[in-house]
Every structure is written in C-alpha cells, then in structure tokens.
Amino acid sequence: MRLLGLLICLVFESIGAAAQSIDFANIAKAKPLQVSGGFGANTVFSAGLPNNNQPFNYFLNGNLNFNILGTINIPLSFNYSNQKIALSQGYSFNQLSISPTYKWITAHIGTNYMSFSPYTLNGHQFVGGGLELSPNKWKIQMMAGRLIKGQFEDTTTTGPTFKRMGYGTKIEYNPGTYVAGITLFKAFDDASTVPELRRIFNKKVVNPEDNMVVSLNFGTTLFHALQFNIEYANSVVTKDQRPEYDRVRVRSLAGIFHRGNATTQSFNALKTNLNYNIKATGTIVGVGYEEIDPDYRTLGGYFFVNDLRNYTFNASQTLYGGKVSLAGNIGIQQDDIKKTKVNNQNRFVGSLNANAQVSEGLMMGVNFSNFQSFRFLNDTYSRITRVPGQIIDTLAFAMVSRTFGYNLSKSFVKTETKETSLLFNLNVIGSENKRADVLDPQSKTNIINSSLTYAIAYPTQQASINTTLTYFRNVLFNGTLTGLGPTIGFQKTFVKKLNTTLNLSALNVNNTMAGIDKPNSLALNAQISANMTAGKSHNFNFNTGVVANNGQTFLNGNLGYNYSF
C-alpha cells in the first residue's frame, strides 16, 4: 500500500509539473480543434469453400486524432468485423482504443497492448486503461483491465475460460549514468464466471488461477565503454485459488505481495549481460547469462521458454569499410536445470549473421541459429494453397530450435529504361516441442523453402516481369510433402495511379502423408490485384484469387476502400 501511495503521489506531482510548463503563447495561436485520421472498409467474398456459412464478410477499421489547441492529442482507433474469428489465447479481433497524449503523458483506453518485460507483462491484449509517463528522469507505465473474457458456452475448441483481470506498473529511474527499475504485475481469474459444472475440458478440471510477478532491473555504463544489464523476475502462480485451501505465506520476492495456498508455486528468471565496445577496431564483445526455472510462466504473456540455462558469448565486427558485417553469439544451453527429467541434455547453441557486398551489384548473406524461440511457420505449400483472404491465427507459434538462411542478389543491368536482377533464397527450419517434459513426436518438423527469381523492370514504362522457380520439402511426423514449380508475375502501373498485378503459380506436389489417396497432384494458384488512388484521400483496392488443389477449387476475393484526411 505504501508503494501504491508513493506512485500516486509521483503521478500527480508529475502532472502538476506538466501543467506548470504549458506554453500559453502557442496555445493562443493554435486552432481550437484539428481532426485527422482515416477510415477503411473491406469486404471478403468466397465460393467453393467447404463448411462456409458466411460467403460474404466485412471488416471495418478507423483511426482519428483530435488535436486540442495544438497541445493535446487524443488518438482513437477501432476494428470491427461481422465474422466470428476464433483465435487462440482469448484474443479479440474487434477492438476500440483511445490514446490521448499531452507532452510526456499518454493514456490508453479500450483494447490495448503493453509490455513491461519478457518475464512479466509481455504484449498480452487487455481491455481497460493504461498510462505512460516520462517526466524528467522517470519512466512510468501502468495498466489495469480484463486480460481474458470469461466464457463456457463453447467448450469444443479452447475450453471454458474464466474472466481474467490484471493490473500492474513498471517504474524506471534514469539519471543518465544508470537505469534502475521495478515491475509489479498481478493477474487473477474470477471464479464466479464459470459454474463448477462447466469446468471440464478434455476430461480435466479447469481451475481459477492467481498470479503475482515482481521484477527488478538495473543497467549502467562504466568507463564509457562497458555496458552492464541485469533483470531478475519472480513469478508466484496459484493454480487453484478456491477458498477451501488454507492461505499461506510464500517465501519469495513476489510472495511479499501475494498470499498463496497448497497449489502455489514460485518461479524465478534471471538474465544478465556485459558488453564492451572497442572503438578503435569497431568491435563489440560481450558475455551473457540467462536462467529460467522449469514451468516458468505468468498470466501476462502467451508463450514462455523455460527450464533452461544459457551461457553465451557475443561479438560483432565490421570490415572493409562497412562492406562486410559479422555478428554472432555462441554458448552452452542446459535444459532440465533441476535434474528431474530422464532425457535431459546440454547442447551447444549459437547464431551467426554475415552480410557482404562482394562486388558492385552482388550482395549475399548467411544466418544460422539454434536458439529456441517462438515463430509462425509459414511454409511455401501453405502459402500457395491457402485460400486468399483466409484469416491466419498469428498467435499459432511453434518452438523453433534450428534455422538456416542464405540469400543472394545480383544486379546485371541498371539503366534508366531497364533493370535486371537475380535473387536466390534458401531457408531451412527445424522445430520440435515438448509437452509435460515429453517430446511430442507430432511436433517434429523440418521445412525447406527455396526460390530462384529472375526479374526484369522497365522504370520508364512502370512495368516489370518476374519468373520464379520454387522448391519446398516439408518433413512431418506422418509423412513428407515436396513440391516444385514455377511462378510468373506481371506488374503494371497505368496513369500513375492504377497499379495492377497478376501472379500465376503451379506446383507439382508429392504427398506421402498418411491417409492421402493420391500422392501426386498439381496445385494451381492464380491471383490478380489492383490498387488505385484518387486525389490525396481516397484509395481503392481489389484482389481475387483461385486455388485448385486435390480436385477442389476455391475462389476468394477482397474489395476495399480507405479514406484519409
């Protein structure tokens, strides 16, 4: 309570200081109210889709900014659709947010996203309010609102979810020589939002949870060259907060602010790094350490990598006057840090990025990593055979442990009337996931995407042609999917305001997945799009596509209009 009181006093003192710094001379000259913004409307139509109950859908979005007396900005934005979009993690597509701003004061009202740190509140959507203040040497962030909407009517996909509320703050002080901060975040489920008879999903009982997280961070620079940063986080999670459990005190940093019970667990995360800048050679070297407890999580994030210990060394270097840049890190990663699993392992981890301008017009780059991370796997086959306009759940991530990429670009001709170039890209991704400390065999994925493109552009005619040869190979737990085929694209601009594009793709696909009757098939994709601007405020766009694959044909199109002022 004392900390909360101190924070409130600091906020009002900061607002008072802002009020004293108002420039009345500029206010007298400014317009009382200026409004700017934009509005967009898009319609999606489809035919031939299986189980398509809504062949026509619309999406509305807009943003407005109200400027009062040239000093106060009040931006407002919204999204709305008639389509019931079911995304993972309780994410809501229909959104309305207002973010008024005055100097170093910004408020957030409506549907918002804020991040305090990777171990506390990390980009979780919430409906409520937030405040960001940056007076003098302080940086203050605060939020409060609903994290997840409670529901139990449909338990076939996500299961019942309790109404989840959360609030928190992050306070940092930076006088210039160092930065020190503290983060407090609290989230809890409202047990009354799901009746006890509806708390069953996949034969398991879903219980209301409670969470308190405290994080401390510090950073400084020594001798104008040595940078040091550290963050420690403690998350206390009560897996079942029903009152029949006796309340107990939790002996941890977050436990100071949290009463737990027999289902309460405490998790820790620590990350620190030290970097040294050698100005004479343009070299940066550093070391890092990270440790995250098994099952570490907070209710303020969607995904967390846990049960690991990383020791890393990083370095970056530029050579030949900046024509070659190298950056990488190496280290040891240990999983099963509590030594409780059967198949624990230590492994070498590292990443490398190298880019070089080999000669005039020739560029190439290489990147490699086997650090674990989260990423949306958008492979070539899914991209070409996906119905145009189909909604992708961007929260559907997979754990990636190995990635390799290579790219090359060569410019042959570059004149005022003609440009030609050759592009090559190769990406290799290997992923796997664990559930309950057991490797999920169905999650093992190896994906190869490669393409070779030859492009011809005619700048004076505002036209271009490109041809691409694509090869992919997806090795999954139940079979292999490979494909090879060409893509040809045409782009042309008419009267400087109408841009048109036509793309035609064909893939010879071999599918050895279980349950596939015809292993060989031809996948075809044809897309046409047009975009036109009228004046300075109006923009019209249209695109439609046809996908033919495995004896089925789908048609999907989009017609949109955007207005800005």
Side-chain angles (χ1 to χ4, degrees), residues 170-200:
K170 180 177 182 179
I171 307 172
E172 283 189 336
Y173 178 68
N174 184 359
T177 56
Y178 67 90
V179 57
I182 182 173
T183 298
L184 305 173
F185 176 73
K186 171 77 172 179
F188 57 92
D189 292 335
D190 184 349
S192 65
T193 55
V194 178
E196 291 194 14
L197 294 178
R198 305 299 297 273
R199 298 181 183 179
I200 305 296

PDB file of all heavy atoms in Angstrom, residues 170-200:
ATOM      1  N   LYS A 170       5.305  -0.505 -14.067  1.00  0.00           N
ATOM      2  CA  LYS A 170       6.755  -0.571 -14.201  1.00  0.00           C
ATOM      3  C   LYS A 170       7.300   0.839 -14.007  1.00  0.00           C
ATOM      4  O   LYS A 170       6.869   1.777 -14.689  1.00  0.00           O
ATOM      5  CB  LYS A 170       7.170  -1.106 -15.565  1.00  0.00           C
ATOM      6  CG  LYS A 170       8.687  -1.193 -15.733  1.00  0.00           C
ATOM      7  CD  LYS A 170       9.094  -1.798 -17.076  1.00  0.00           C
ATOM      8  CE  LYS A 170      10.613  -1.914 -17.183  1.00  0.00           C
ATOM      9  NZ  LYS A 170      11.043  -2.516 -18.471  1.00  0.00           N
ATOM     10  N   ILE A 171       8.244   0.977 -13.088  1.00  0.00           N
ATOM     11  CA  ILE A 171       8.824   2.278 -12.766  1.00  0.00           C
ATOM     12  C   ILE A 171      10.326   2.205 -12.977  1.00  0.00           C
ATOM     13  O   ILE A 171      10.992   1.320 -12.427  1.00  0.00           O
ATOM     14  CB  ILE A 171       8.518   2.676 -11.313  1.00  0.00           C
ATOM     15  CG1 ILE A 171       7.015   2.601 -11.036  1.00  0.00           C
ATOM     16  CG2 ILE A 171       9.039   4.076 -11.019  1.00  0.00           C
ATOM     17  CD1 ILE A 171       6.664   2.795  -9.578  1.00  0.00           C
ATOM     18  N   GLU A 172      10.861   3.105 -13.781  1.00  0.00           N
ATOM     19  CA  GLU A 172      12.295   3.162 -14.030  1.00  0.00           C
ATOM     20  C   GLU A 172      12.811   4.577 -13.772  1.00  0.00           C
ATOM     21  O   GLU A 172      12.144   5.565 -14.110  1.00  0.00           O
ATOM     22  CB  GLU A 172      12.635   2.758 -15.464  1.00  0.00           C
ATOM     23  CG  GLU A 172      12.601   1.269 -15.726  1.00  0.00           C
ATOM     24  CD  GLU A 172      13.147   0.898 -17.084  1.00  0.00           C
ATOM     25  OE1 GLU A 172      13.132   1.758 -17.986  1.00  0.00           O
ATOM     26  OE2 GLU A 172      13.593  -0.245 -17.232  1.00  0.00           O
ATOM     27  N   TYR A 173      14.009   4.637 -13.210  1.00  0.00           N
ATOM     28  CA  TYR A 173      14.676   5.914 -12.967  1.00  0.00           C
ATOM     29  C   TYR A 173      16.002   5.910 -13.712  1.00  0.00           C
ATOM     30  O   TYR A 173      16.809   4.989 -13.573  1.00  0.00           O
ATOM     31  CB  TYR A 173      14.917   6.117 -11.469  1.00  0.00           C
ATOM     32  CG  TYR A 173      15.642   7.404 -11.141  1.00  0.00           C
ATOM     33  CD1 TYR A 173      15.022   8.632 -11.343  1.00  0.00           C
ATOM     34  CD2 TYR A 173      16.937   7.380 -10.644  1.00  0.00           C
ATOM     35  CE1 TYR A 173      15.683   9.818 -11.039  1.00  0.00           C
ATOM     36  CE2 TYR A 173      17.608   8.553 -10.347  1.00  0.00           C
ATOM     37  CZ  TYR A 173      16.976   9.771 -10.547  1.00  0.00           C
ATOM     38  OH  TYR A 173      17.632  10.940 -10.258  1.00  0.00           O
ATOM     39  N   ASN A 174      16.227   6.943 -14.530  1.00  0.00           N
ATOM     40  CA  ASN A 174      17.423   7.001 -15.371  1.00  0.00           C
ATOM     41  C   ASN A 174      18.037   8.394 -15.299  1.00  0.00           C
ATOM     42  O   ASN A 174      17.659   9.291 -16.056  1.00  0.00           O
ATOM     43  CB  ASN A 174      17.066   6.645 -16.816  1.00  0.00           C
ATOM     44  CG  ASN A 174      18.284   6.582 -17.719  1.00  0.00           C
ATOM     45  OD1 ASN A 174      19.411   6.813 -17.287  1.00  0.00           O
ATOM     46  ND2 ASN A 174      18.073   6.271 -18.983  1.00  0.00           N
ATOM     47  N   PRO A 175      19.006   8.586 -14.415  1.00  0.00           N
ATOM     48  CA  PRO A 175      19.664   9.897 -14.325  1.00  0.00           C
ATOM     49  C   PRO A 175      20.724  10.111 -15.389  1.00  0.00           C
ATOM     50  O   PRO A 175      21.337  11.172 -15.457  1.00  0.00           O
ATOM     51  CB  PRO A 175      20.288   9.859 -12.925  1.00  0.00           C
ATOM     52  CG  PRO A 175      20.583   8.417 -12.691  1.00  0.00           C
ATOM     53  CD  PRO A 175      19.474   7.651 -13.377  1.00  0.00           C
ATOM     54  N   GLY A 176      20.985   9.082 -16.229  1.00  0.00           N
ATOM     55  CA  GLY A 176      21.973   9.203 -17.289  1.00  0.00           C
ATOM     56  C   GLY A 176      23.139   8.264 -17.136  1.00  0.00           C
ATOM     57  O   GLY A 176      23.674   7.751 -18.126  1.00  0.00           O
ATOM     58  N   THR A 177      23.561   8.019 -15.908  1.00  0.00           N
ATOM     59  CA  THR A 177      24.697   7.125 -15.660  1.00  0.00           C
ATOM     60  C   THR A 177      24.264   5.694 -15.393  1.00  0.00           C
ATOM     61  O   THR A 177      25.081   4.772 -15.477  1.00  0.00           O
ATOM     62  CB  THR A 177      25.519   7.631 -14.470  1.00  0.00           C
ATOM     63  OG1 THR A 177      24.658   7.759 -13.322  1.00  0.00           O
ATOM     64  CG2 THR A 177      26.142   8.982 -14.790  1.00  0.00           C
ATOM     65  N   TYR A 178      22.995   5.504 -15.055  1.00  0.00           N
ATOM     66  CA  TYR A 178      22.477   4.166 -14.811  1.00  0.00           C
ATOM     67  C   TYR A 178      20.956   4.203 -14.956  1.00  0.00           C
ATOM     68  O   TYR A 178      20.345   5.272 -15.035  1.00  0.00           O
ATOM     69  CB  TYR A 178      22.864   3.661 -13.409  1.00  0.00           C
ATOM     70  CG  TYR A 178      22.206   4.417 -12.278  1.00  0.00           C
ATOM     71  CD1 TYR A 178      20.963   4.021 -11.760  1.00  0.00           C
ATOM     72  CD2 TYR A 178      22.821   5.539 -11.709  1.00  0.00           C
ATOM     73  CE1 TYR A 178      20.357   4.723 -10.737  1.00  0.00           C
ATOM     74  CE2 TYR A 178      22.217   6.245 -10.683  1.00  0.00           C
ATOM     75  CZ  TYR A 178      20.981   5.828 -10.197  1.00  0.00           C
ATOM     76  OH  TYR A 178      20.373   6.525  -9.193  1.00  0.00           O
ATOM     77  N   VAL A 179      20.349   3.018 -15.024  1.00  0.00           N
ATOM     78  CA  VAL A 179      18.897   2.901 -15.023  1.00  0.00           C
ATOM     79  C   VAL A 179      18.503   1.796 -14.048  1.00  0.00           C
ATOM     80  O   VAL A 179      19.118   0.722 -14.033  1.00  0.00           O
ATOM     81  CB  VAL A 179      18.344   2.603 -16.441  1.00  0.00           C
ATOM     82  CG1 VAL A 179      18.958   1.342 -17.018  1.00  0.00           C
ATOM     83  CG2 VAL A 179      16.831   2.505 -16.430  1.00  0.00           C
ATOM     84  N   ALA A 180      17.543   2.065 -13.199  1.00  0.00           N
ATOM     85  CA  ALA A 180      17.069   1.096 -12.210  1.00  0.00           C
ATOM     86  C   ALA A 180      15.554   1.080 -12.244  1.00  0.00           C
ATOM     87  O   ALA A 180      14.909   2.130 -12.368  1.00  0.00           O
ATOM     88  CB  ALA A 180      17.569   1.460 -10.812  1.00  0.00           C
ATOM     89  N   GLY A 181      14.981  -0.125 -12.184  1.00  0.00           N
ATOM     90  CA  GLY A 181      13.536  -0.220 -12.290  1.00  0.00           C
ATOM     91  C   GLY A 181      12.952  -1.361 -11.503  1.00  0.00           C
ATOM     92  O   GLY A 181      13.647  -2.308 -11.107  1.00  0.00           O
ATOM     93  N   ILE A 182      11.660  -1.278 -11.277  1.00  0.00           N
ATOM     94  CA  ILE A 182      10.900  -2.329 -10.605  1.00  0.00           C
ATOM     95  C   ILE A 182       9.587  -2.522 -11.355  1.00  0.00           C
ATOM     96  O   ILE A 182       8.991  -1.547 -11.838  1.00  0.00           O
ATOM     97  CB  ILE A 182      10.633  -1.992  -9.121  1.00  0.00           C
ATOM     98  CG1 ILE A 182       9.866  -3.145  -8.448  1.00  0.00           C
ATOM     99  CG2 ILE A 182       9.895  -0.672  -8.987  1.00  0.00           C
ATOM    100  CD1 ILE A 182       9.699  -2.973  -6.953  1.00  0.00           C
ATOM    101  N   THR A 183       9.162  -3.764 -11.486  1.00  0.00           N
ATOM    102  CA  THR A 183       7.899  -4.097 -12.148  1.00  0.00           C
ATOM    103  C   THR A 183       7.046  -4.909 -11.194  1.00  0.00           C
ATOM    104  O   THR A 183       7.535  -5.868 -10.572  1.00  0.00           O
ATOM    105  CB  THR A 183       8.143  -4.913 -13.431  1.00  0.00           C
ATOM    106  OG1 THR A 183       8.904  -4.137 -14.346  1.00  0.00           O
ATOM    107  CG2 THR A 183       6.823  -5.298 -14.084  1.00  0.00           C
ATOM    108  N   LEU A 184       5.787  -4.539 -11.079  1.00  0.00           N
ATOM    109  CA  LEU A 184       4.798  -5.284 -10.297  1.00  0.00           C
ATOM    110  C   LEU A 184       3.636  -5.614 -11.214  1.00  0.00           C
ATOM    111  O   LEU A 184       3.096  -4.735 -11.882  1.00  0.00           O
ATOM    112  CB  LEU A 184       4.301  -4.464  -9.103  1.00  0.00           C
ATOM    113  CG  LEU A 184       5.355  -3.928  -8.127  1.00  0.00           C
ATOM    114  CD1 LEU A 184       4.703  -3.012  -7.104  1.00  0.00           C
ATOM    115  CD2 LEU A 184       6.060  -5.076  -7.437  1.00  0.00           C
ATOM    116  N   PHE A 185       3.249  -6.887 -11.261  1.00  0.00           N
ATOM    117  CA  PHE A 185       2.127  -7.285 -12.107  1.00  0.00           C
ATOM    118  C   PHE A 185       1.293  -8.333 -11.376  1.00  0.00           C
ATOM    119  O   PHE A 185       1.821  -9.292 -10.819  1.00  0.00           O
ATOM    120  CB  PHE A 185       2.601  -7.866 -13.431  1.00  0.00           C
ATOM    121  CG  PHE A 185       1.490  -8.384 -14.299  1.00  0.00           C
ATOM    122  CD1 PHE A 185       0.630  -7.510 -14.948  1.00  0.00           C
ATOM    123  CD2 PHE A 185       1.278  -9.742 -14.443  1.00  0.00           C
ATOM    124  CE1 PHE A 185      -0.403  -7.982 -15.733  1.00  0.00           C
ATOM    125  CE2 PHE A 185       0.255 -10.226 -15.224  1.00  0.00           C
ATOM    126  CZ  PHE A 185      -0.596  -9.340 -15.883  1.00  0.00           C
ATOM    127  N   LYS A 186      -0.019  -8.111 -11.377  1.00  0.00           N
ATOM    128  CA  LYS A 186      -0.956  -9.002 -10.699  1.00  0.00           C
ATOM    129  C   LYS A 186      -2.066  -9.402 -11.669  1.00  0.00           C
ATOM    130  O   LYS A 186      -2.609  -8.553 -12.382  1.00  0.00           O
ATOM    131  CB  LYS A 186      -1.567  -8.287  -9.487  1.00  0.00           C
ATOM    132  CG  LYS A 186      -2.707  -9.017  -8.804  1.00  0.00           C
ATOM    133  CD  LYS A 186      -2.210 -10.155  -7.944  1.00  0.00           C
ATOM    134  CE  LYS A 186      -3.352 -10.745  -7.113  1.00  0.00           C
ATOM    135  NZ  LYS A 186      -2.894 -11.879  -6.269  1.00  0.00           N
ATOM    136  N   ALA A 187      -2.380 -10.688 -11.731  1.00  0.00           N
ATOM    137  CA  ALA A 187      -3.479 -11.180 -12.570  1.00  0.00           C
ATOM    138  C   ALA A 187      -4.209 -12.277 -11.821  1.00  0.00           C
ATOM    139  O   ALA A 187      -3.594 -13.051 -11.073  1.00  0.00           O
ATOM    140  CB  ALA A 187      -2.958 -11.702 -13.896  1.00  0.00           C
ATOM    141  N   PHE A 188      -5.523 -12.359 -12.019  1.00  0.00           N
ATOM    142  CA  PHE A 188      -6.317 -13.360 -11.300  1.00  0.00           C
ATOM    143  C   PHE A 188      -7.587 -13.669 -12.077  1.00  0.00           C
ATOM    144  O   PHE A 188      -8.114 -12.833 -12.821  1.00  0.00           O
ATOM    145  CB  PHE A 188      -6.669 -12.865  -9.892  1.00  0.00           C
ATOM    146  CG  PHE A 188      -7.416 -11.553  -9.872  1.00  0.00           C
ATOM    147  CD1 PHE A 188      -8.804 -11.505  -9.874  1.00  0.00           C
ATOM    148  CD2 PHE A 188      -6.709 -10.349  -9.871  1.00  0.00           C
ATOM    149  CE1 PHE A 188      -9.477 -10.301  -9.877  1.00  0.00           C
ATOM    150  CE2 PHE A 188      -7.381  -9.135  -9.872  1.00  0.00           C
ATOM    151  CZ  PHE A 188      -8.774  -9.108  -9.869  1.00  0.00           C
ATOM    152  N   ASP A 189      -8.061 -14.895 -11.917  1.00  0.00           N
ATOM    153  CA  ASP A 189      -9.307 -15.332 -12.548  1.00  0.00           C
ATOM    154  C   ASP A 189     -10.478 -15.094 -11.607  1.00  0.00           C
ATOM    155  O   ASP A 189     -10.365 -15.292 -10.383  1.00  0.00           O
ATOM    156  CB  ASP A 189      -9.230 -16.814 -12.896  1.00  0.00           C
ATOM    157  CG  ASP A 189      -8.232 -17.102 -13.999  1.00  0.00           C
ATOM    158  OD1 ASP A 189      -7.966 -16.191 -14.793  1.00  0.00           O
ATOM    159  OD2 ASP A 189      -7.719 -18.232 -14.058  1.00  0.00           O
ATOM    160  N   ASP A 190     -11.602 -14.700 -12.195  1.00  0.00           N
ATOM    161  CA  ASP A 190     -12.849 -14.540 -11.441  1.00  0.00           C
ATOM    162  C   ASP A 190     -13.571 -15.877 -11.441  1.00  0.00           C
ATOM    163  O   ASP A 190     -14.142 -16.291 -12.457  1.00  0.00           O
ATOM    164  CB  ASP A 190     -13.703 -13.451 -12.084  1.00  0.00           C
ATOM    165  CG  ASP A 190     -14.982 -13.157 -11.284  1.00  0.00           C
ATOM    166  OD1 ASP A 190     -15.299 -13.933 -10.361  1.00  0.00           O
ATOM    167  OD2 ASP A 190     -15.650 -12.160 -11.598  1.00  0.00           O
ATOM    168  N   ALA A 191     -13.535 -16.583 -10.312  1.00  0.00           N
ATOM    169  CA  ALA A 191     -14.087 -17.936 -10.239  1.00  0.00           C
ATOM    170  C   ALA A 191     -15.582 -17.971 -10.509  1.00  0.00           C
ATOM    171  O   ALA A 191     -16.112 -19.004 -10.954  1.00  0.00           O
ATOM    172  CB  ALA A 191     -13.791 -18.548  -8.867  1.00  0.00           C
ATOM    173  N   SER A 192     -16.290 -16.868 -10.291  1.00  0.00           N
ATOM    174  CA  SER A 192     -17.745 -16.861 -10.457  1.00  0.00           C
ATOM    175  C   SER A 192     -18.178 -16.842 -11.920  1.00  0.00           C
ATOM    176  O   SER A 192     -19.357 -17.032 -12.221  1.00  0.00           O
ATOM    177  CB  SER A 192     -18.342 -15.648  -9.735  1.00  0.00           C
ATOM    178  OG  SER A 192     -17.901 -14.435 -10.346  1.00  0.00           O
ATOM    179  N   THR A 193     -17.238 -16.645 -12.865  1.00  0.00           N
ATOM    180  CA  THR A 193     -17.612 -16.514 -14.272  1.00  0.00           C
ATOM    181  C   THR A 193     -17.796 -17.858 -14.968  1.00  0.00           C
ATOM    182  O   THR A 193     -18.303 -17.896 -16.092  1.00  0.00           O
ATOM    183  CB  THR A 193     -16.556 -15.692 -15.031  1.00  0.00           C
ATOM    184  OG1 THR A 193     -15.268 -16.295 -14.840  1.00  0.00           O
ATOM    185  CG2 THR A 193     -16.520 -14.264 -14.514  1.00  0.00           C
ATOM    186  N   VAL A 194     -17.382 -18.952 -14.361  1.00  0.00           N
ATOM    187  CA  VAL A 194     -17.597 -20.282 -14.922  1.00  0.00           C
ATOM    188  C   VAL A 194     -18.181 -21.173 -13.837  1.00  0.00           C
ATOM    189  O   VAL A 194     -17.510 -21.431 -12.830  1.00  0.00           O
ATOM    190  CB  VAL A 194     -16.290 -20.912 -15.460  1.00  0.00           C
ATOM    191  CG1 VAL A 194     -16.566 -22.318 -15.992  1.00  0.00           C
ATOM    192  CG2 VAL A 194     -15.691 -20.049 -16.555  1.00  0.00           C
ATOM    193  N   PRO A 195     -19.423 -21.654 -13.991  1.00  0.00           N
ATOM    194  CA  PRO A 195     -20.002 -22.551 -12.986  1.00  0.00           C
ATOM    195  C   PRO A 195     -19.157 -23.816 -12.830  1.00  0.00           C
ATOM    196  O   PRO A 195     -18.510 -24.273 -13.775  1.00  0.00           O
ATOM    197  CB  PRO A 195     -21.390 -22.863 -13.565  1.00  0.00           C
ATOM    198  CG  PRO A 195     -21.664 -21.779 -14.547  1.00  0.00           C
ATOM    199  CD  PRO A 195     -20.342 -21.370 -15.100  1.00  0.00           C
ATOM    200  N   GLU A 196     -19.177 -24.390 -11.639  1.00  0.00           N
ATOM    201  CA  GLU A 196     -18.352 -25.568 -11.381  1.00  0.00           C
ATOM    202  C   GLU A 196     -18.697 -26.734 -12.289  1.00  0.00           C
ATOM    203  O   GLU A 196     -17.832 -27.540 -12.647  1.00  0.00           O
ATOM    204  CB  GLU A 196     -18.485 -25.978  -9.914  1.00  0.00           C
ATOM    205  CG  GLU A 196     -17.856 -24.982  -8.950  1.00  0.00           C
ATOM    206  CD  GLU A 196     -17.699 -25.566  -7.561  1.00  0.00           C
ATOM    207  OE1 GLU A 196     -17.828 -26.802  -7.423  1.00  0.00           O
ATOM    208  OE2 GLU A 196     -17.440 -24.797  -6.630  1.00  0.00           O
ATOM    209  N   LEU A 197     -19.959 -26.858 -12.718  1.00  0.00           N
ATOM    210  CA  LEU A 197     -20.360 -27.969 -13.584  1.00  0.00           C
ATOM    211  C   LEU A 197     -19.822 -27.804 -15.004  1.00  0.00           C
ATOM    212  O   LEU A 197     -19.829 -28.769 -15.778  1.00  0.00           O
ATOM    213  CB  LEU A 197     -21.888 -28.071 -13.626  1.00  0.00           C
ATOM    214  CG  LEU A 197     -22.575 -28.454 -12.299  1.00  0.00           C
ATOM    215  CD1 LEU A 197     -24.090 -28.480 -12.478  1.00  0.00           C
ATOM    216  CD2 LEU A 197     -22.082 -29.819 -11.814  1.00  0.00           C
ATOM    217  N   ARG A 198     -19.353 -26.600 -15.356  1.00  0.00           N
ATOM    218  CA  ARG A 198     -18.858 -26.367 -16.715  1.00  0.00           C
ATOM    219  C   ARG A 198     -17.339 -26.248 -16.768  1.00  0.00           C
ATOM    220  O   ARG A 198     -16.787 -25.781 -17.748  1.00  0.00           O
ATOM    221  CB  ARG A 198     -19.478 -25.076 -17.281  1.00  0.00           C
ATOM    222  CG  ARG A 198     -20.996 -25.030 -17.249  1.00  0.00           C
ATOM    223  CD  ARG A 198     -21.611 -26.168 -18.088  1.00  0.00           C
ATOM    224  NE  ARG A 198     -21.264 -26.042 -19.478  1.00  0.00           N
ATOM    225  CZ  ARG A 198     -21.946 -25.314 -20.363  1.00  0.00           C
ATOM    226  NH1 ARG A 198     -23.018 -24.651 -19.960  1.00  0.00           N
ATOM    227  NH2 ARG A 198     -21.578 -25.260 -21.629  1.00  0.00           N
ATOM    228  N   ARG A 199     -16.643 -26.683 -15.725  1.00  0.00           N
ATOM    229  CA  ARG A 199     -15.191 -26.510 -15.651  1.00  0.00           C
ATOM    230  C   ARG A 199     -14.432 -27.754 -16.100  1.00  0.00           C
ATOM    231  O   ARG A 199     -13.335 -28.017 -15.640  1.00  0.00           O
ATOM    232  CB  ARG A 199     -14.766 -26.138 -14.226  1.00  0.00           C
ATOM    233  CG  ARG A 199     -15.339 -24.824 -13.733  1.00  0.00           C
ATOM    234  CD  ARG A 199     -14.881 -24.495 -12.331  1.00  0.00           C
ATOM    235  NE  ARG A 199     -15.496 -23.262 -11.849  1.00  0.00           N
ATOM    236  CZ  ARG A 199     -15.287 -22.743 -10.651  1.00  0.00           C
ATOM    237  NH1 ARG A 199     -14.458 -23.343  -9.796  1.00  0.00           N
ATOM    238  NH2 ARG A 199     -15.884 -21.635 -10.288  1.00  0.00           N
ATOM    239  N   ILE A 200     -15.003 -28.514 -17.025  1.00  0.00           N
ATOM    240  CA  ILE A 200     -14.360 -29.723 -17.522  1.00  0.00           C
ATOM    241  C   ILE A 200     -13.993 -29.533 -18.982  1.00  0.00           C
ATOM    242  O   ILE A 200     -14.807 -29.107 -19.798  1.00  0.00           O
ATOM    243  CB  ILE A 200     -15.288 -30.950 -17.378  1.00  0.00           C
ATOM    244  CG1 ILE A 200     -15.756 -31.109 -15.925  1.00  0.00           C
ATOM    245  CG2 ILE A 200     -14.576 -32.212 -17.848  1.00  0.00           C
ATOM    246  CD1 ILE A 200     -14.614 -31.410 -14.960  1.00  0.00           C
TER     247      ILE A 200
END
